Structure formats: structure tokens, C-alpha cells
Amino acid sequence: DSGVTQTPKHLITATGQRVTLRCSPRSGDLSVYWYQQSLDQGLQFLIQYYNGEERAKGNILERFSAQQFPDLHSELNLSSLELGDSALYFCASSVGAGEFEQYFGPGTRLTVT
Amino acid sequence: AQTVTQSQPEMSVQEAETVTLSCTYDTSENNYYLFWYKQPPSRQMILVIRQEAYKQQNATENRFSVNFQKAAKSFSLKISDSQLGDTAMYFCAFMKMNRDDKIIFGKGTRLHILP
């Protein structure tokens, strides 16, 4: 158990819908990262937040957005869902930014039908 | 841009044997980290081992060791005395040592440990 929690574990929804994935980092960790794991694209970095502020952005679609709240939990919002958004979404956290190990949560499996 | 390449999509070895997973990467950075992550059927991403680029000594964690060749940009993982619980997908990964600290993953190697 990495100490990073993600909810829900599984999510099934229809195309065009919007979902919110939630992540609680390890106690004391200030950075939260979101990754997407799909069959065709592999594991890809989406976005990072550090102490409430966006720190780095990767291959995140405009339909996706994220934020980190004052209690340091983070949410990833996915809207206008398409079949291709079906994937495993991981959240990871680290103490700081730049030179710290990232600990991964168990992931949220999103299925878009 | 950094890239990580794992040339072995799938491997199988007998229990108790030693297996080596290959990884090459491309970067113009001088300071970075390299990782091997394990993803068992549970899908949890587990950090197996980490190597700092500035360290010449190869990292070791129990039965897991790496062969880090900085000039060749090669970072292989050796698993000794393999166990059934080592069956998993293994990802080689790269992270720069600076503000932009996303992890870049290879496509993975699926490892089967056979009884």
C-alpha cells in the first residue's frame, strides 16, 4: 500500500458524459501527478500540481482538467468523453517536486461505452 | 525530448533462473533518474529500483540489480533467483532532475515466471 488513495476504483460511463476522478496523496506529500495508461499509448503523464498550483503539463487533452485543493487532494475532470478515453488513470504523489520519488495509487479504471 | 525504449515486449523464464530486462533511453540531460517499475496483475505501480545518473555504482535492491551504462544510455534490470511473484509488467522510466519532473515510461516488458 503506497498510501495514495484513488476513488472510484472503477467507473463505467457513456460517451459524451463527464466524470471526476479523485486522488488523496500520501500524508505530507505536496505534489500530485496524473498519468493515463491505455493499451495504445502506454503510460503517459497528464499533469502535475504542487501545493495547489499547476506545475507541469503533459499530453492532457483540452477536455480534461485538474485541480489540487487546499487539503492537497486532487481531482481530474474528464468531459465530453470518447471511447478512446477508456484507460487506467493513475495518481501519484511525492514529497516535493523535482527530486523525489513518486508513489502511485491503485488507479481508477474508466470504461467509456 | 526524452524517450525510453524497451525492446522486449514479452519474456518467459523458469522459476529460480536469472533474467535481464533491457532498456535504452535518449536524453541530452546530464542529471536525471532512472527507474524500474513493476505492475503485477493487480495493476498497482510498484517502484522496484531507482538509479541516480550521477552515481557510477549500480543500484541493488535484494534480488534486483541494474546495469547502468550512462555513455551508452542503457539501463537493464537483472532479477536473480526469479520467483512466481515476479510475474508482472515491468516499465523502465526516466525523470529529469529539475522543475519539469514528469516520469517518462517505456512501453513495458511482460515477464512470465514459469513454475
Side-chain angles (χ1 to χ4, degrees):
Chain A
D1 185 355
S2 65
V4 179
T5 59
Q6 289 187 248
T7 55
K9 279 188 178 177
H10 303 277
L11 199 50
I12 301 174
T13 189
T15 54
Q17 295 299 306
R18 172 190 168 95
V19 296
T20 297
L21 312 183
R22 182 187 169 105
C23 168
S24 292
R26 294 185 320 156
S27 177
D29 284 0
L30 298 178
S31 273
V32 169
Y33 310 78
W34 287 98
Y35 293 86
Q36 179 194 58
Q37 185 178 26
S38 60
L39 281 174
D40 53 342
Q41 296 293 329
L43 262 162
Q44 291 198 95
F45 167 76
L46 294 178
I47 197 164
Q48 178 207 356
Y49 278 83
Y50 175 75
N51 205 19
E53 293 191 6
E54 184 182 301
R55 182 90 168 186
K57 222 168 184 175
N59 301 319
I60 188 166
L61 300 171
E62 283 191 12
R63 300 183 285 108
F64 296 0
S65 65
Q67 55 183 332
Q68 186 180 27
F69 295 86
D71 67 352
L72 301 176
H73 91 272
S74 177
E75 292 181 356
L76 178 67
N77 300 296
L78 314 176
S79 61
S80 302
L81 286 167
E82 302 174 359
L83 295 177
D85 297 327
S86 295
L88 191 53
Y89 290 85
F90 284 106
C91 167
S93 75
S94 67
V95 171
E99 300 189 11
F100 299 91
E101 287 181 13
Q102 297 181 21
Y103 294 86
F104 282 74
T108 292
R109 177 165 292 287
L110 172 67
T111 302
V112 182
T113 61
Chain B
Q2 288 72 36
T3 58
V4 177
T5 303
Q6 294 178 249
S7 59
Q8 304 150 313
E10 197 157 1
M11 297 180 71
S12 295
V13 294
Q14 294 294 134
E15 192 177 7
E17 289 185 350
T18 295
V19 59
T20 299
L21 280 58
S22 301
C23 172
T24 58
Y25 59 95
D26 188 27
T27 184
S28 58
E29 300 288 324
N30 193 45
N31 296 315
Y32 50 87
Y33 294 106
L34 294 164
F35 307 95
W36 279 97
Y37 278 89
K38 169 185 176 180
Q39 188 178 39
S42 67
R43 296 292 191 177
Q44 176 76 47
M45 291 292 288
I46 302 165
L47 179 63
V48 174
I49 201 165
R50 155 184 158 153
Q51 175 80 43
E52 290 86 345
Y54 61 82
K55 289 187 178 178
Q56 291 189 335
Q57 187 172 4
N58 289 323
T60 299
E61 287 288 344
N62 301 315
R63 297 182 295 107
F64 299 86
S65 61
V66 298
N67 183 1
F68 173 47
Q69 303 288 329
K70 191 173 183 179
K73 295 180 183 173
S74 168
F75 184 61
S76 61
L77 174 70
K78 185 171 83 171
I79 306 174
S80 303
D81 186 25
S82 56
Q83 301 174 0
L84 296 179
D86 295 333
T87 292
M89 192 75 157
Y90 287 81
F91 293 96
C92 179
F94 170 99
M95 186 175 88
K96 289 191 286 185
M97 281 188 192
N98 64 16
R99 189 179 186 275
D100 176 16
D101 41 17
K102 62 187 176 187
I103 296 179
I104 298 169
F105 290 90
K107 294 290 187 186
T109 294
R110 188 172 299 281
L111 178 64
H112 301 275
I113 308 299
L114 307 172

